[in-house]
Amino acid sequence: MWPDRRICDLLGIEHPIIQAPMTGSCTPQLAAAVANAGGLGSMGCAGKSVEKIRQEVDALKAASNHGYNLNFFATEASRTDPATLAHTRERLQPWFEKYDLGPPPEEVPPVGPGFDAERLDLVLELRPRVVSFHFGQPDVETIALLKDADIILLSTATNVQEAKALEAAGMDAIIAQGWEAGGHRGSHTVTEPMQGVGTMALVPQIVDAVSVPIIAAGGIADGRGIAAAFALGASGVQLGTAFLSCPEAATDPTRRARLQNATDQDTMVTDAVSGRCARTARSNYAASMEAARAPLPGFRQLSALVEPLLKAADDDDASFHLYGQAAALNREMPAAELIDWLIDDTGKAIAKLSPR
């Protein structure tokens, strides 16, 4: 059925459908269910300890004997200059006062790097079939060690320049992430919220620019989206938001309720929660920060400042519910059933386009 099987052959999967590695939402049970249904199950490892990653991989392997993907953030250590930190605390102060939280934290600990020697050693020990990266790629020596271990490497590109850099670095396939995608934008440098490129425009340009297989991501939720991705030249797709409604996902009740009532205009892109651009449900806090932009603390250092507000605030005032623009197309069903439905729906979409 699949018009291009390069991703299937590369990853050793039956269907070119990858479950996005959504840290905090994906679980070993979700990844295993996707893998057992013929797709590629993924585990987000960002911010997790080596011990936690090992436990989750053990749980995944107990539920599936198929290959899996471990995802890491290829970020440098974050440090924030005192002036930026002080100014951000001033901007947060009214929000903290509104919820009787006292002053915002005065200091934030350094964060990162996202993929260090300890995690490299763990990956070389576990030997997953696939390792993927967000926000770029690790250094040349690290890539060489991973390739010597016969691990397939993927990373995300949000524009053509990034895709070319990933191919030159030795990535085996590239995830072309459109602006519609939920969660953090995988840009290799810090970007402004409105700098994204939509999936429909991004995928064919990246396909034309590189020779490795392309995996389309962002705004894909059903067979029509999958068929469109293949028409644009992609060899596979990565879906994240679509899996958030599965019972195996660790989606909190509030976000599940939002997904059940989602529309195409529910979300916005902001860097005012984590320090990097992410598509999330709209909130008054994020809107106010976007209305008057200023330098912010480094990636995930800002999270430490904002966390008390997120815990205390009314959900519409301040939250970080990550999901994409196609959330209204979500279906509530187990992951294996979702994979089967996506395959069937893609077949129907392709059939409608075929001449009679």
Side-chain angles (χ1 to χ4, degrees), residues 122-207:
L122 176 67
V123 167
L124 294 176
E125 173 195 337
L126 295 175
R127 299 290 179 98
R129 183 172 185 86
V130 181
V131 169
S132 63
F133 296 99
H134 213 54
F135 305 121
Q137 74 279 338
D139 59 51
V140 173
E141 293 77 13
T142 297
I143 291 174
L145 289 171
L146 293 170
K147 282 186 164 291
D148 286 344
D150 293 325
I151 295 171
I152 297 164
L153 302 181
L154 313 178
S155 190
T156 300
T158 62
N159 58 46
V160 170
Q161 181 180 3
E162 291 175 352
K164 289 181 177 179
L166 292 179
E167 181 179 42
M171 296 297 109
D172 297 295
I174 295 169
I175 302 161
Q177 184 195 34
W179 194 67
E180 302 93 324
H184 281 98
R185 178 187 301 160
S187 53
H188 299 188
T189 59
V190 176
T191 60
E192 297 288 320
M194 298 303 293
Q195 285 182 285
V197 181
T199 304
M200 183 70 72
L202 180 67
V203 171
Q205 292 185 71
I206 290 183
V207 167

Side-chain angles (χ1 to χ4, degrees), residues 303-324:
S303 302
L305 288 177
V306 178
E307 184 177 7
L309 176 62
L310 296 182
K311 290 181 177 179
D314 174 87
D315 203 47
D316 289 330
D317 247 1
S319 60
F320 202 44
H321 298 302
L322 303 174
Y323 58 88

Side-chain angles (χ1 to χ4, degrees), residues 146-346:
L146 293 170
K147 282 186 164 291
D148 286 344
D150 293 325
I151 295 171
I152 297 164
L153 302 181
L154 313 178
S155 190
T156 300
T158 62
N159 58 46
V160 170
Q161 181 180 3
E162 291 175 352
K164 289 181 177 179
L166 292 179
E167 181 179 42
M171 296 297 109
D172 297 295
I174 295 169
I175 302 161
Q177 184 195 34
W179 194 67
E180 302 93 324
H184 281 98
R185 178 187 301 160
S187 53
H188 299 188
T189 59
V190 176
T191 60
E192 297 288 320
M194 298 303 293
Q195 285 182 285
V197 181
T199 304
M200 183 70 72
L202 180 67
V203 171
Q205 292 185 71
I206 290 183
V207 167
D208 289 349
V210 300
S211 61
V212 297
I214 301 305
I215 300 157
I220 301 171
D222 59 15
R224 293 170 295 181
I226 295 173
F230 276 92
L232 296 173
S235 303
V237 295
Q238 178 172 280
L239 283 67
T241 299
F243 286 103
L244 290 175
S245 295
C246 296
E248 298 95 336
T251 309
D252 60 271
T254 301
R255 185 160 47 152
R256 283 190 187 274
R258 282 181 173 266
L259 291 169
Q260 290 170 347
N261 299 286
T263 73
D264 57 339
Q265 299 185 64
D266 285 349
T267 61
M268 63 182 293
V269 177
T270 181
D271 54 4
V273 176
S274 71
R276 293 288 291 252
C277 288
R279 182 170 294 282
T280 178
R282 295 181 183 276
S283 72
N284 296 328
Y285 161 74
S288 70
M289 294 290 279
E290 292 303 327
R293 294 192 56 76
L296 294 169
F299 179 52
R300 295 178 60 202
Q301 286 192 295
L302 180 58
S303 302
L305 288 177
V306 178
E307 184 177 7
L309 176 62
L310 296 182
K311 290 181 177 179
D314 174 87
D315 203 47
D316 289 330
D317 247 1
S319 60
F320 202 44
H321 298 302
L322 303 174
Y323 58 88
Q325 287 186 312
L329 299 175
N330 269 27
R331 291 170 175 262
E332 295 183 0
M333 59 178 68
E337 292 183 20
L338 178 59
I339 293 288
D340 289 343
W341 179 82
L342 288 169
I343 295 165
D344 180 67
D345 199 47
T346 304

